[in-house]
């Protein structure tokens, strides 16, 4: 796996740190985020759109990424576009 570090939540201090990477080999964004509260997770699990089954599969997770990380999300997208990902 070739992870390219993009950034850490600037307000994180020394605690858990929402983080963004780009995996150039697997062609994916990788997020470390805050776990949602039960209510949000239930709302996400109940959400239905065509072609998407309700629920959250056991191999997937819902994570929160703070708005203050928008610039890092843009940078991750720019990295993916420049690399032809």
């Amino acid at each position: 796996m070739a992870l390219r570090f993009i950034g850490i939540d600037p307000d994180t201090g020394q605690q858990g740190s929402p983080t963004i990477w780009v995996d150039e080999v697997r062609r994916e964004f990788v997020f470390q985020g805050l776990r949602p509260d039960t209510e949000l997770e239930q709302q996400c699990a109940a959400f239905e759109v065509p072609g998407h089954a309700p629920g959250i599969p056991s191999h997937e997770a819902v994570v929160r990424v703070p708005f203050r990380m928008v610039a890092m999300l843009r940078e991750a997208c720019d990295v993916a576009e420049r690399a032809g990902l």
Side-chain angles (χ1 to χ4, degrees):
M1 180 183 306
L3 285 179
R4 179 186 293 211
F5 171 77
I6 301 298
I8 294 175
D9 178 358
D11 290 353
T12 205
Q14 298 296 316
Q15 302 303 315
S17 48
T19 306
I20 300 169
W21 298 270
V22 172
D23 183 334
E24 295 176 340
V25 173
R26 295 184 70 170
R27 302 169 56 100
E28 297 174 336
F29 298 109
V30 179
F31 299 99
Q32 174 183 331
L34 305 168
R35 291 179 189 253
D37 57 40
T38 303
E39 181 180 339
L40 175 62
E41 196 166 56
Q42 289 172 346
Q43 287 176 355
C44 291
F47 197 79
E48 292 186 51
V49 295
H52 187 278
I56 302 168
S58 62
H59 66 280
E60 294 183 2
V62 174
V63 297
R64 290 180 171 271
V65 177
F67 279 172
R68 61 186 166 265
M69 296 179 73
V70 165
M72 291 173 216
L73 290 168
R74 285 191 185 112
E75 182 181 347
C77 291
D78 291 344
V79 166
E81 285 182 338
R82 283 193 303 270
L85 303 176

